[in-house]
Amino acid sequence: MIEQKTRKKTGPKPLYGEAKKMVSFRLSPEALTIIKGLADRESLSQAEVLERWARQFKGVNPETEVAQEAVAANRELVGAER
């Protein structure tokens, strides 16, 4: 009889249709506090906070009006955490 192995689930189904990769970052204590605060406030994981931030700025040209609005919104969000 052939034994069938089942794969261990490592987390919830991906929200963005792609598997996430494990990475490591070095962040300042202030940046980590901001990310943790946003995650707690929005009931998200810290990874999801970074995922949303990265997707918000994906392909944004800093010279465009949309980019300037996104940067301004990000500054407001960060300022609210301080």
Side-chain angles (χ1 to χ4, degrees):
M1 180 180 253
I2 297 174
E3 196 174 311
Q4 208 173 25
K5 293 183 180 180
T6 57
R7 255 183 78 191
K8 182 180 175 184
K9 261 192 138 180
T10 58
K13 206 172 198 177
L15 294 175
Y16 306 101
E18 54 193 355
K20 292 185 177 182
K21 295 182 180 182
M22 175 94 45
V23 295
S24 176
F25 290 99
R26 289 183 179 265
L27 298 170
S28 69
E30 182 178 6
L32 186 55
T33 299
I34 292 166
I35 292 167
K36 283 181 177 180
L38 290 170
D40 289 344
R41 188 177 79 203
E42 301 296 323
S43 299
L44 300 170
S45 68
Q46 293 172 35
E48 183 62 20
V49 170
L50 292 175
E51 178 88 26
R52 289 180 180 192
W53 181 83
R55 288 178 180 278
Q56 179 183 358
F57 288 99
K58 178 183 176 185
V60 175
N61 180 342
E63 301 301 318
T64 66
E65 185 177 326
V66 172
Q68 291 168 357
E69 289 173 7
V71 169
N74 189 50
R75 284 189 182 130
E76 288 176 19
L77 190 60
V78 170
E81 287 300 312
R82 290 187 178 176

